[in-house]
């Protein structure tokens, strides 16, 4: 009797974990130049692994930055073509002293794999590679046509990928895109993310006197740059967290009835969450649940600020400079370039007396939504339910994957976000980890999804 993909995955589990550990040991930190060669090594590792599974035309392809990895298998005549996207680069590990084990020497503790990148996103793209392997080693073929595109710059905003996609539109042509770089809200609660918020970032630079001043001699007579910054930052929100920038909400659409029903089914335990976060109460825009505020409502957050003397002890100065970094998470219809102009207009109108203010712009990314009732989304729901044996829920992600909107704009394809990470797994933080249970069930879910897709017809 032929071996099933489920049997194959079970019998080769230890081998797959060993291979994943080899992948995780490569310190592919895209943001630090000293790791450039390691990023390249991770790309070459992926190419070799894809070739080993039976994927064809595997290639490490140049961009103006770190390379991308492409491969395909296109022998499922008359079946849909799936483009799988993910990233093999990882975040820096700082602060290293907070890690309980070496971030690039994977360990299993309490049924979790600990390593940098295991949750975001190496572990999840590796699952796609092994799902392909399972079909080709058992059936000798795939239920659908598959192309893969793995990049090495997602953690720095994918600066060179849109140009690559534009240049290789024919190569990347498909019926849909599948991405596993999101997650589930909690254990045993599979959730399909059908949209992502966009992003825009800026830095506010406040300048007062030509240098720091003695607070005893000049205090009360010259504007304090730190005080001016605080006053300016306070003008962005009301006491409940609503953004006060004129025009900020003008293009924000309310949820459909179907979406409201889907969000109600998520049933997030806000009290449990409050305790987990260690805060006296949750906070945010009135009239919306925690889930809505963190996924389908736009935000404006202060990410960091600095001014004056911050060392040990006291230095009685009147700071001459101050700055703050801020980001907005944006929802459909909000244009990051338009929002930045609204923010700059607000800053100009609320600049305190006695200082000058300049703005430095940072990352920009558009929001994205695939209709909840799209057949590819619903097929993903059936695959999750087949493996996890519980009803699937649907949500929109609060974070941003800037390349998703670029895929939408350039390739005009629906995007299905099938994530298996958990919010407690410390992505971007010390002691990043991934639950072994979701590693196993995730592999089976991906395989089940390919089977579900083979019967779909895309116009």
């Amino acid at each position: 009797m032929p071996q099933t993909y489920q049997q194959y995955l079970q019998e080769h589990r230890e081998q797959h974990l060993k291979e994943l550990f080899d992948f995780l040991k490569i310190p592919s930190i895209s943001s630090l130049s000293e790791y450039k060669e390691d990023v390249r090594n991770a790309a070459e590792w992926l190419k070799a692994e894809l070739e080993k599974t039976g994927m064809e035309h595997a290639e490490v392809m140049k961009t103006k930055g770190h390379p991308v990895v492409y491969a395909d298998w296109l022998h499922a005549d008359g079946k849909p073509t799936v483009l799988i996207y993910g990233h093999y680069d990882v975040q820096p590990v700082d602060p290293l002293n907070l890690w309980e084990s070496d971030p690039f020497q994977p360990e299993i503790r309490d049924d979790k794999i600990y390593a940098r990148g295991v949750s975001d996103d190496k572990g999840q793209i590796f699952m796609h590679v092994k799902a392909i392997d399972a079909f080709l080693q058992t059936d000798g073929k795939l239920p659908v046509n598959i192309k893969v595109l793995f990049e090495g710059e997602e953690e720095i905003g994918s600066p060179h990928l849109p140009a690559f996609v534009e240049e290789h539109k024919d190569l990347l042509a498909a019926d849909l895109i599948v991405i596993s770089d999101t997650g589930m809200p909690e254990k045993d609660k599979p959730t399909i993310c059908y949209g992502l918020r966009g992003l825009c970032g800026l830095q506010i630079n406040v300048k007062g006197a030509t240098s720091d001043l003695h607070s005893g001699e000049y205090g009360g007579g010259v504007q304090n740059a730190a005080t001016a910054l605080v006053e300016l930052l306070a003008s962005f929100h009301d006491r409940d967290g609503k953004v006060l920038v004129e025009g900020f909400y003008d293009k924000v659409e309310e949820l459909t009835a179907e979406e409201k029903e889907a969000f109600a089914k998520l049933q997030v335990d806000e009290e449990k969450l409050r305790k987990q976060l260690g805060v006296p109460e949750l906070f945010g825009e009135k009239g919306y649940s925690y889930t809505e505020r963190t996924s389908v409502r736009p935000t404006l957050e202060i990410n960091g600020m600095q001014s004056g003397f911050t060392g040990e002890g006291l230095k009685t100065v009147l700071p001459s400079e101050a700055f703050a970094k801020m980001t907005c998470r944006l929802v459909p219809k909000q244009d990051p370039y338009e929002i930045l102009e609204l923010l700059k207009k607000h800053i100009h109108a609320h600049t305190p007396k006695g200082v000058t203010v300049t703005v430095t712009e940072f990352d920009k990314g558009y929001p994205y939504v695939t209709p909840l009732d799209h057949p590819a989304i619903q097929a993903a729901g059936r695959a999750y339910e087949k493996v996890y044996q519980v009803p699937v829920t649907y949500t929109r992600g609060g974070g941003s994957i800037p390349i998703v909107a670029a895929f939408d704009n350039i390739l005009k394809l629906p995007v299905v976000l099938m994530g298996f990470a958990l919010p407690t797994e410390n992505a971007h933080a010390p002691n990043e980890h991934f639950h072994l249970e979701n590693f196993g069930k995730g592999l089976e879910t991906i395989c089940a999804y390919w089977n579900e897709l083979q019967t779909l017809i895309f116009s």
Side-chain angles (χ1 to χ4, degrees):
M1 184 176 179
Q3 189 181 41
T4 66
Y5 69 76
Q6 293 97 330
Q7 292 170 329
Y8 179 83
L9 291 172
Q10 185 174 359
E11 290 178 9
H12 291 79
R13 181 179 173 86
E14 292 305 315
Q15 175 192 332
H16 292 165
L17 287 174
K18 181 182 181 301
E19 291 167 346
L20 174 58
F21 278 28
D22 290 340
F23 188 27
L24 294 169
K25 289 177 182 178
I26 305 171
S28 49
I29 303 172
S30 56
S31 62
L32 301 177
S33 59
E34 59 262 40
Y35 291 94
K36 180 179 180 179
E37 192 62 31
D38 294 298
V39 176
R40 176 80 188 191
N41 290 341
E44 294 288 354
W45 188 95
L46 272 174
K47 176 195 172 188
E49 193 68 21
L50 288 163
E51 288 176 329
K52 193 168 66 175
T53 67
M55 290 288 280
E56 299 171 344
H57 307 117
E59 186 177 355
V60 176
M61 303 181 71
K62 291 181 179 179
T63 73
K64 290 185 178 180
H66 297 303
V68 302
V69 180
Y70 173 85
D72 60 37
W73 189 95
L74 305 174
H75 304 291
D77 293 341
K79 304 298 183 181
T81 298
V82 182
L83 174 62
I84 303 170
Y85 163 81
H87 67 93
Y88 62 86
D89 64 320
V90 302
Q91 284 277 331
V93 299
D94 311 82
L96 185 59
N97 64 299
L98 296 183
W99 285 80
E100 295 180 13
S101 55
D102 189 320
F104 294 112
Q105 291 296 324
E107 288 187 5
I108 295 177
R109 303 193 300 271
D110 300 322
D111 293 322
K112 306 179 190 82
I113 307 171
Y114 284 81
R116 172 55 90 224
V118 66
S119 177
D120 178 23
D121 184 37
K122 282 183 172 179
Q124 299 202 66
I125 65 171
F126 179 82
M127 289 157 61
H128 280 283
V129 175
K130 291 297 113 177
I132 292 168
D133 182 52
F135 273 114
L136 291 178
Q137 297 303 320
T138 55
D139 293 350
K141 61 182 181 179
L142 298 176
V144 292
N145 300 294
I146 288 181
K147 300 178 179 181
V148 301
L149 178 68
F150 298 144
E151 73 155 316
E153 295 188 326
E154 194 274 345
E155 297 293 6
I156 55 174
S158 305
H160 301 106
L161 193 58
F164 178 90
V165 174
E166 184 71 51
E167 184 180 349
H168 296 87
K169 282 193 291 189
D170 292 341
L171 179 69
L172 302 176
D175 293 298
L176 74 157
I177 299 171
V178 174
I179 300 175
S180 295
D181 193 15
T182 53
M184 309 188 302
E186 58 185 80
K187 188 175 181 291
D188 298 321
K189 197 168 187 175
T191 300
I192 294 174
C193 179
Y194 65 97
L196 293 167
R197 292 193 286 192
L199 174 74
C200 67
L202 71 157
Q203 179 173 307
I204 300 174
N205 310 288
V206 177
K207 177 63 176 174
T210 54
S211 65
D212 290 354
L213 302 173
H214 191 293
S215 64
E217 294 182 11
Y218 294 95
V222 178
Q223 176 68 282
N224 184 314
T227 304
L229 176 63
V230 171
E231 179 184 337
L232 179 55
L233 295 179
S235 73
F236 282 105
H237 301 88
D238 69 10
R239 293 179 63 85
D240 295 311
K242 181 180 179 180
V243 178
L244 297 177
V245 175
E246 185 175 354
F248 187 78
Y249 295 103
D250 284 358
K251 294 185 178 181
V252 177
E253 298 178 329
E254 294 294 332
L255 294 178
T256 65
E258 184 182 20
E259 287 177 311
K260 288 182 179 178
E261 182 181 352
F263 272 81
K265 290 179 180 178
L266 288 171
Q267 298 179 336
V268 173
D269 187 335
E270 294 192 6
E271 177 59 18
K272 178 181 177 182
L273 178 65
R274 181 195 69 77
K275 291 179 179 178
Q276 177 185 318
L277 296 174
V279 294
E281 61 182 292
L282 299 178
F283 173 81
E285 190 182 3
K286 282 188 175 180
Y288 299 92
S289 68
Y290 172 85
T291 302
E292 290 170 333
R293 295 197 304 263
T294 57
S295 60
V296 297
R297 296 296 293 171
T299 65
L300 172 60
E301 298 290 352
I302 301 167
N303 306 127
M305 48 188 173
Q306 184 173 313
S307 182
F309 177 71
T310 58
E312 184 179 355
L314 184 65
K315 183 180 181 183
T316 55
V317 296
L318 198 149
S320 66
E321 296 181 325
F323 71 85
K325 296 179 184 290
M326 306 180 72
T327 49
C328 294
R329 299 290 177 168
L330 308 176
V331 297
K333 304 297 184 183
Q334 286 187 305
D335 184 307
Y337 292 88
E338 291 179 0
I339 294 297
L340 275 169
E341 289 306 312
L342 293 176
L343 294 175
K344 288 192 282 188
K345 184 178 178 181
H346 178 94
I347 291 166
H348 176 74
H350 292 79
T351 295
K353 295 178 180 180
V355 294
T356 57
V357 174
T358 58
V359 173
T360 304
E361 297 182 14
F362 291 123
D363 294 354
K364 305 172 189 71
Y366 285 87
Y368 177 82
V369 170
T370 298
L372 183 58
D373 60 357
H374 193 285
I377 295 287
Q378 295 302 312
R382 294 191 296 273
Y384 272 106
E385 290 177 353
K386 180 177 181 180
V387 175
Y388 282 84
Q389 296 292 299
V390 295
V392 72
T393 55
Y394 298 87
T395 189
R396 278 161 42 184
S400 306
I401 306 177
I403 194 58
V404 170
F407 280 141
D408 176 44
N409 182 53
I410 300 170
L411 299 179
K412 310 295 184 185
L413 298 176
V415 179
V416 180
L417 298 157
M418 297 183 67
F420 301 95
L422 296 178
T424 57
E425 289 178 340
N426 291 0
H428 291 208
N431 301 308
E432 181 179 352
H433 56 277
F434 190 61
H435 284 66
L436 282 171
E437 179 183 6
N438 284 335
F439 177 76
K441 288 184 175 180
L443 276 165
E444 289 197 33
T445 301
I446 292 168
C447 291
Y449 188 42
W450 303 151
N451 280 332
E452 289 283 344
L453 282 178
Q454 66 179 320
T455 62
L456 297 186
I457 298 175
F458 292 81
S459 58

